[in-house]
């Protein structure tokens, strides 16, 4: 027994050197989530939850039903709130945060020593048992000596996971807001086309009556009838686009069953009277972009890992072994045990592998992380400028259609109607002016939608969670090509 205590004392020496590290920060079920929630709340003013058991899932479901019950027509803010507490993909992303917390927690734990025991010398029955008992306790000394650095690296990765979870949450919020804008704009287009359909039906009836009196040729009547037919096709296409846009919003909010019976407004909000001024948007983005903070932590973790690689360059496998041996003897008719203790230190001699390859790989990893951080900083500034430029320009374009194009088209139609009633112009000119007004109104709706999309992209450009510039351009282009509304 004394020998075992001595062996344990030998292995305890590196444990004392390693020190004691608190694992409380990583051990909780919601480890690190308060940081995520605080960052998301400061940007979106919305609540997010991490569902980890059946009771929490039921409470979340009840909360979602209550929100939908109070808001039969969802505005953008309500849609974002529902998505942040009900999207299952987001909950899966939070599980990655839990994995990182568990890894950091694991890094604070000391390595378990390996114990081996051997028996020998089974003899005559009068000896009753073994003559010799041998044992050893082994632990990895190098791992214990580098424990502090391992913990620092795991902690950096844990903070990275927190920021990645925040980025994923902000990304979902931005995607939901854009989906709501697209859905509402699509239903607004449907409404405009339905009103145009009513006017076109009236014109078609007029053309038919004029044809009966001989005042309009069959070719003229056919033109009006085909316009009505084409408009009906465009309206059906716009309605399909609106339904699909609403389905995308439904998916992002994580709804199914009877919860999908919600409604969205029939038109987008009016343009604001003035623009938000962001004169220092580049500096603001560099200061607040969470994905840039993630890149900085990646460089920090790589640097710590590089230091660890350098520290362990020559010694990659170092173990300390403490052993004991106990032998039973019979002397003067009395049985007694004699014990001896010993220790060994095993390590690899770097004759062939001097660690240069590992050092080179670590250096390249550090330079890669440094260049990625520099690239991210350049991209962040560019994305911030692009987002604000799109915000300003789309506002001017939308105002132009609202204040100039649509009023002028309305005036042209009114004058055309007056001259038609005065028998100065013919029916064809009146119907042509009506069609042009319809097109201008649809362009105005699309311009307003593009502004609100640009407005929704402004916050992600400053705080993170937005799409890349190429994806944003594709989104705007595809949105401009589609018509549609509720």
């Amino acid at each position: 027994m004394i020998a075992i205590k001595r062996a344990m004392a030998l292995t305890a020496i590196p444990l004392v050197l390693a020190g004691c590290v608190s694992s409380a920060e990583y051990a909780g079920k919601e480890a690190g989530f308060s940081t995520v929630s605080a960052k998301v709340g400061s940007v979106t003013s919305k609540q997010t939850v991490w569902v980890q058991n059946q009771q929490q899932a039921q409470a979340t479901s009840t909360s979602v039903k209550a929100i939908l019950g109070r808001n039969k027509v969802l505005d953008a803010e309500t849609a974002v709130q529902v998505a942040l507490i009900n999207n299952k993909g987001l909950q899966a992303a939070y599980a990655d945060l839990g994995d990182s917390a568990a890894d950091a927690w694991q890094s604070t734990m000391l390595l378990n020593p390996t114990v081996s025991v051997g028996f020998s010398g089974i003899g005559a029955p009068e000896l009753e048992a073994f003559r010799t008992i041998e044992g050893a306790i082994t632990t990895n000394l190098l791992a214990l000596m580098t424990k502090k650095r391992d913990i620092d690296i795991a902690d950096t990765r844990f903070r990275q996971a927190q920021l990645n979870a925040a980025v994923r949450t902000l990304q979902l919020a931005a995607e939901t807001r854009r989906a709501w804008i697209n859905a509402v704009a699509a239903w607004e287009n449907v409404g405009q086309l339905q009103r145009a359909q009513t006017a076109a039906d009236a014109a078609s009836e007029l053309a038919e009556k004029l044809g009966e009196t001989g005042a309009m040729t069959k070719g003229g009547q056919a033109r009006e009838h085909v316009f009505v037919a084409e408009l009906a096709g465009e309206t059906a296409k716009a309605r399909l686009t609106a339904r699909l846009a609403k389905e995308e919003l439904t998916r992002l909010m994580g709804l199914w069953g009877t919860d999908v019976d919600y409604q969205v407004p029939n038109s987008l909000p009016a343009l604001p009277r003035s623009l938000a001024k962001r004169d220092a948007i580049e500096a603001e983005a560099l200061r607040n972009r969470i994905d840039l903070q993630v890149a900085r932590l990646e460089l920090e973790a790589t640097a710590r890992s590089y230091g660890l690689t350098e520290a362990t360059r020559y010694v990659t496998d170092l173990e300390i072994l403490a052993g004991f041996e106990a032998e039973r003897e019979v002397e003067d008719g009395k049985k007694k045990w004699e014990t001896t203790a010993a220790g060994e230190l095993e390590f690899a001699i770097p004759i062939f592998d001097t660690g240069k390859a590992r050092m080179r790989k670590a250096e390249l990893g550090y330079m890669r992380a440094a260049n990625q951080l520099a690239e991210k900083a350049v991209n962040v500034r560019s994305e911030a400028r692009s987002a604000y430029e799109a915000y300003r320009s789309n506002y001017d374009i939308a105002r132009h259609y609202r204040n100039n194009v649509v009023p002028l088209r309305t005036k042209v139609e009114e004058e055309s109607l007056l001259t038609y009633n005065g028998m100065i112009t013919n029916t064809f000119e009146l119907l042509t002016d009506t069609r042009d007004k319809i097109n201008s109104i649809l362009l105005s709706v699309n311009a307003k939608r593009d502004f609100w999309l640009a407005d929704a992209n402004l916050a992600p450009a400053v705080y993170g969670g937005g799409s890349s510039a190429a994806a944003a351009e594709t989104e705007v282009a595809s949105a401009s090509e589609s018509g549609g509304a509720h």
Side-chain angles (χ1 to χ4, degrees), residues 96-411:
D96 294 337
L97 174 61
D99 286 344
S100 181
D103 290 338
W105 186 11
Q106 183 68 47
S107 73
T108 65
M109 299 179 185
L110 298 174
L111 294 177
N112 294 325
T114 302
V115 179
S116 59
V117 180
F119 306 93
S120 64
I122 300 177
E126 65 269 19
L127 296 181
E128 299 175 358
F130 307 105
R131 292 176 181 171
T132 304
I133 301 175
E134 296 179 353
I137 301 175
T138 308
T139 188
N140 190 318
L141 183 60
L142 180 63
L144 291 168
M145 293 173 63
T146 59
K147 190 68 176 175
K148 181 65 169 63
R149 286 190 178 183
D150 286 338
I151 293 172
D152 289 341
I153 292 172
D155 180 72
T156 303
R157 294 299 185 192
F158 172 61
R159 286 185 284 136
Q160 259 189 311
Q162 288 178 310
L163 296 179
N164 281 327
V167 169
R168 179 66 185 90
T169 307
L170 294 178
Q171 185 178 25
L172 175 63
E175 289 174 353
T176 304
R177 193 177 299 276
R178 286 192 291 264
W180 183 89
I181 292 168
N182 283 325
V184 175
W187 286 118
E188 187 171 359
N189 271 337
V190 170
Q192 295 292 345
L193 288 170
Q194 286 176 335
R195 284 187 282 274
Q197 185 77 47
T198 301
D201 289 340
S204 179
E205 289 182 17
L206 175 62
E208 186 175 354
K209 291 180 179 179
L210 290 174
E212 292 174 356
T213 62
M216 180 177 286
T217 64
K218 292 188 179 295
Q221 295 177 59
R223 290 190 191 94
E224 297 314 312
H225 296 329
V226 76
F227 173 66
V228 172
E230 289 174 347
L231 193 57
E234 288 297 318
T235 303
K237 182 179 178 181
R239 189 176 287 106
L240 172 62
T241 300
R243 288 171 178 165
L244 295 179
K246 185 182 175 185
E247 280 301 326
E248 181 182 0
L249 178 61
T250 299
R251 288 194 297 272
L252 291 171
M253 291 193 294
L255 301 179
W256 67 332
T258 58
D259 292 339
V260 301
D261 295 332
Y262 69 92
Q263 299 294 324
V264 296
N266 291 320
S267 63
L268 288 169
L271 296 176
R273 294 189 176 183
S274 60
L275 287 175
K277 294 188 179 299
R278 307 296 279 267
D279 296 332
I281 192 169
E282 291 181 51
E284 194 177 354
L286 287 175
R287 184 170 59 253
N288 296 316
R289 277 286 287 263
I290 299 178
D291 51 347
L292 188 59
Q293 297 172 29
V294 172
R296 289 195 187 101
L297 286 176
E298 179 63 30
L299 181 62
E300 179 183 334
T302 305
R304 291 182 184 276
S305 180
Y306 174 71
L308 180 59
T309 302
E310 187 175 19
T312 61
R313 176 180 177 182
Y314 295 108
V315 182
T316 58
D317 189 9
L318 182 62
E319 290 189 347
I320 186 170
L321 181 147
F324 68 91
E325 179 179 340
E327 184 174 355
R328 188 178 66 171
E329 295 181 351
V330 179
E331 184 176 343
D332 297 332
K334 295 182 180 180
K335 299 173 182 178
K336 65 177 183 178
W337 288 91
E338 288 190 0
T339 60
T340 58
E344 294 181 14
L345 185 64
E346 296 182 358
F347 59 90
I349 301 176
I351 298 176
F352 305 108
D353 182 5
T354 60
K356 288 184 178 180
R358 290 186 293 111
M359 285 290 294
R360 178 58 177 163
K361 188 173 182 180
E363 290 171 358
L364 291 174
Y366 179 81
M367 292 306 301
R368 181 189 301 111
N371 284 310
Q372 287 174 342
L373 175 60
E375 181 191 31
K376 173 64 72 173
V378 171
N379 292 345
V380 161
R381 297 184 66 169
S382 176
E383 289 169 13
R385 291 194 302 270
S386 297
Y388 190 65
E389 184 63 31
Y391 175 72
R392 289 181 57 89
S393 297
N394 279 301
Y395 179 75
D396 293 337
I397 293 170
R399 285 188 65 211
H400 174 70
Y401 274 99
R402 184 194 67 182
N403 297 341
N404 298 309
V405 177
V406 173
L408 286 174
R409 282 296 182 190
T410 302
K411 183 66 174 177

